[in-house]
Amino acid sequence: MKSSFTVKIVVWSCNLVLIILALSFLFGVYYTIKLPSLIAPNIDLEGVTNMNYRVSQSFLGDNYIFERIIDRVNNIDEENFYFTSTDNVYRVSFSDSLTMKASKINRDLSSSESRYFGLIQNSTIVTESTDDFPIRYAVPAVSLEKAVFVNYVRSNALSLLFVLLYGMVFIWYLRKFITGLLTPDFFTRNNAFYLKITAWMSIAAPLLMWLLSTFIRQDFFVDLKFDNASEVSSGFSLPLMMLFFGLVILVIAWSFDHSVKLQKEQELTI
C-alpha cells in the first residue's frame, strides 16, 4: 500500500504539471495574438513633456526590450527596439570593460530586525566606499527595426508554444506509464510502449531544439565579432542532458520490453 500511495502522489504530480502546462499554453496563444499591442502599446501622450517607457519580454532565454523616449524640451521623440540573449555571453578584457560602483558593507555597524513572524523586517546597512569593480562578462544588445523585432518576438513565442505542447505530450505518456504501476499486470506491451515514447521524445528534444534555433529563432550574433572580447561557452548544456536522460530511459524501456517478452514466453510454456 505504501508504494501504491507513493505512485499516486507521482501521478497527481504529473496531473498538476499537465494542468500548469495546459494553462501556460492557452495563455501563450493569447499572448502571441496580443503581441503587437504588447510590444509597443498605444499610450495617450497628450500633454506629456518627458517620458522614458520600457517594456521587457523574455522567451526561452531571449529578451526583447521596447523603449519609448520623449523629451519635448530637447525635441526628442523616438522608439527603440532591442534584442539580447543569455545564450550570447562574452568575456570582456579588463582594459575595455565597464565598471560598477560598489560599497563595502560594515557588518559590525549594520543590523537587522524581524518581527511578527517575519512580516515586518527592519534593516540598517552601513557601507564604506571602495573601488569600482570591472564588468568581466557582458551580454550585448542588438538594435532592430520594428518589423524585424515584431516578427522575431512572434517566432520565439511560437517556439515557446511548441516547447509547451511537446512537454505536455511527454508528461502525458510518462503519466500513462506511471499509472500502469497501479495495475496488477504492470509488465505489458502498452506500458513498454509508453516508456519508449518518453525515451525517444527525450532523445529527439536536442535535435528539435537545434532545428528551432537554426531555422526559426534567428541568431543575430552569428556575423558579429566583438573586439577584445571572447564568447563564453555555456558548458554542459540542456540538450546534452536531455540526450543522456533519453538514452537511460531507452535502456530501461528495452529491458522492460524484454521482460514482457520473457513473461509471455513463460506463460505460453506453462
Side-chain angles (χ1 to χ4, degrees):
M1 292 294 293
K2 186 176 180 180
S3 61
S4 177
F5 179 72
T6 303
V7 173
K8 287 182 179 179
I9 293 178
V10 176
V11 171
W12 277 105
S13 299
C14 290
N15 292 338
L16 180 61
V17 173
L18 280 172
I19 292 173
I20 294 174
L21 288 176
L23 293 176
S24 301
F25 182 83
L26 293 176
F27 176 76
V29 172
Y30 169 79
Y31 194 81
T32 304
I33 295 173
K34 297 285 291 182
L35 266 177
S37 61
L38 293 173
I39 290 173
N42 293 323
I43 305 174
D44 185 9
L45 300 176
E46 185 178 356
V48 175
T49 58
N50 193 295
M51 183 187 75
N52 196 323
Y53 179 81
R54 290 184 179 90
V55 177
S56 178
Q57 302 171 78
S58 299
F59 301 101
L60 303 175
D62 292 343
N63 301 302
Y64 313 89
I65 298 96
F66 162 72
E67 181 183 60
R68 179 72 182 272
I69 300 175
I70 295 178
D71 188 347
R72 305 296 186 190
V73 176
N74 296 312
N75 198 26
I76 297 175
D77 187 351
E78 60 183 27
E79 291 183 343
N80 299 314
F81 299 89
Y82 299 102
F83 164 78
T84 182
S85 175
T86 54
D87 293 333
N88 302 97
V89 181
Y90 293 83
R91 184 184 291 108
V92 184
S93 64
F94 284 105
S95 59
D96 292 339
S97 66
L98 300 173
T99 58
M100 294 181 64
K101 292 187 177 297
S103 300
K104 187 175 181 180
I105 299 176
N106 189 322
R107 299 293 180 184
D108 296 330
L109 299 179
S110 301
S111 63
S112 61
E113 180 184 7
S114 178
R115 293 182 294 167
Y116 299 105
F117 306 100
L119 295 177
I120 298 178
Q121 294 184 354
N122 297 325
S123 62
T124 302
I125 300 177
V126 179
T127 61
E128 302 170 352
S129 61
T130 185
D131 296 333
D132 295 344
F133 287 83
I135 297 176
R136 184 58 167 153
Y137 298 95
V139 181
V142 178
S143 179
L144 301 174
E145 297 293 332
K146 181 177 181 180
V148 177
F149 183 87
V150 172
N151 289 334
Y152 192 57
V153 174
R154 182 176 280 111
S155 67
N156 269 25
L158 293 175
S159 300
L160 180 60
L161 290 178
F162 173 79
V163 171
L164 291 173
L165 185 61
Y166 197 83
M168 289 170 60
V169 176
F170 177 84
I171 297 297
W172 172 258
Y173 279 105
L174 183 63
R175 176 190 176 280
K176 289 178 74 68
F177 171 75
I178 296 174
T179 305
L181 293 170
L182 299 173
T183 61
D185 299 328
F186 174 61
F187 288 98
T188 63
R189 286 292 178 85
N190 285 337
N191 287 338
F193 173 75
Y194 299 146
L195 193 59
K196 285 182 179 179
I197 289 292
T198 57
W200 283 114
M201 288 189 69
S202 297
I203 293 173
L207 176 61
L208 294 175
M209 293 173 67
W210 176 80
L211 291 174
L212 284 175
S213 61
T214 302
F215 297 103
I216 297 180
R217 298 173 62 206
Q218 182 181 353
D219 186 2
F220 290 104
F221 295 90
V222 67
D223 294 325
L224 293 177
K225 183 183 183 303
F226 295 93
D227 297 335
N228 300 323
S230 58
E231 191 167 7
V232 178
S233 175
S234 57
F236 194 68
S237 61
L238 178 61
L240 290 177
M241 294 176 62
M242 292 294 295
L243 181 61
F244 177 76
F245 179 69
L247 291 174
V248 171
I249 297 180
L250 188 60
V251 170
I252 297 174
W254 279 337
S255 301
F256 191 90
D257 192 36
H258 185 64
S259 300
V260 172
K261 293 178 181 178
L262 290 177
Q263 186 182 44
K264 294 296 182 181
E265 291 176 359
Q266 187 178 18
E267 292 176 354
L268 291 174
T269 302
I270 295 175

